[in-house]
Amino acid sequence: MDDETTVKLLTAAATDEVLVAAAKRGDRPAFEELWERYSSSTFRLVYRITNNRGDAEDVVQDAWMKAYVHLQRFNGEAKFSTWLTRIAINSALMILRRKRAHPENAMEFADGESWQKWEIADQSRDIEKLYEEHCRAERLRQAISCLRPSLRSVVEIYHFNDISVHETASIAGISIAAAKSRLLRARAILRRALI
């Protein structure tokens, strides 16, 4: 095994804490490993917030740039993934605010860039039931996308990451009470929208 392969194997086996410490010392492969671990999940999260692939790509790039530039300030009180998620959410919300302030710059085209999940239908299941389930899921997704960004981000963090309210609050950078309140408010709005 050559030195480069050994470094890659050691880097891949390292904990986030070890990688962050190495990246702070200027170890580029350590930061690249953090990118490998979290870039996809960061993209999925911000895509659900922005509902636009181009914006999500911009947010991910911005979040990772900020993480790189401010890595020395990361003190390890939270997990690296939590810190990065908070940066990404703030960047996504900033883009949404900018679009709201300048709507003429916010034109989007429904040209099939949204992610679609294709599944092969199980022949043992009723096609009509599958279609109903798909329609319900689509209505829910649309209803979530219509929520205010502050409510939408909390709902998406909580449900799509399958984490506790405490972790949701930490990632969103809000109090536990605020996270609970936003989740309750969002559920009430979604319930009314889906009835």
Side-chain angles (χ1 to χ4, degrees):
M1 225 184 303
D2 64 358
D3 289 340
E4 189 176 321
T5 305
T6 304
V7 168
K8 285 183 181 179
L9 288 173
L10 291 173
T11 304
T15 64
D16 286 358
E17 292 81 14
V18 170
L19 292 173
V20 168
K24 283 182 175 183
R25 292 190 306 272
D27 185 342
R28 188 175 176 163
F31 194 78
E32 288 171 358
E33 176 61 26
L34 290 168
W35 164 263
E36 288 294 322
R37 289 182 186 183
Y38 298 111
S39 61
S40 294
S41 59
T42 304
F43 178 82
R44 286 190 304 272
L45 173 70
V46 298
Y47 180 77
R48 287 191 298 261
I49 293 171
T50 63
N51 261 342
N52 179 289
R53 187 175 179 84
D55 287 345
E57 290 170 351
D58 291 345
V59 168
V60 168
Q61 185 176 9
D62 183 57
W64 279 97
M65 182 62 79
K66 287 178 181 172
Y68 183 78
V69 168
H70 300 290
L71 190 61
Q72 296 299 329
R73 294 185 192 166
F74 175 66
N75 58 15
E77 287 180 14
K79 293 189 295 188
F80 176 79
S81 58
T82 302
W83 182 68
L84 176 66
T85 300
R86 192 173 297 149
I87 292 170
I89 289 171
N90 287 339
S91 293
L93 294 175
M94 189 61 69
I95 280 184
L96 292 177
R97 280 187 211 109
R98 245 183 273 135
K99 281 186 158 190
R100 208 175 313 126
H102 304 288
E104 66 276 1
N105 294 333
M107 194 160 96
E108 296 178 20
F109 298 98
D111 62 354
E113 282 199 10
S114 62
W115 286 9
Q116 296 265 341
K117 185 176 181 180
W118 291 90
E119 296 179 2
I120 298 173
D122 182 354
Q123 298 301 320
S124 64
R125 296 182 67 196
D126 183 11
I127 299 297
E128 289 178 8
K129 283 187 179 180
L130 284 172
Y131 180 73
E132 285 176 22
E133 288 173 14
H134 172 74
C135 288
R136 270 197 306 270
E138 183 61 23
R139 280 198 327 263
L140 177 60
R141 189 191 67 74
Q142 295 247 334
I144 290 172
S145 72
C146 292
L147 290 171
R148 279 194 346 247
S150 61
L151 296 178
R152 185 174 64 227
S153 65
V154 171
V155 167
E156 290 172 342
I157 292 168
Y158 180 74
H159 287 289
F160 293 115
N161 293 315
D162 194 30
I163 57 177
S164 69
V165 173
H166 180 76
E167 290 172 305
T168 300
S170 175
I171 289 171
I174 58 176
S175 70
I176 296 171
K180 287 180 181 178
S181 172
R182 289 181 187 182
L183 283 170
L184 285 172
R185 215 170 323 137
R187 285 180 185 146
I189 291 168
L190 292 172
R191 200 173 296 119
R192 285 192 303 272
L194 296 174
I195 290 178

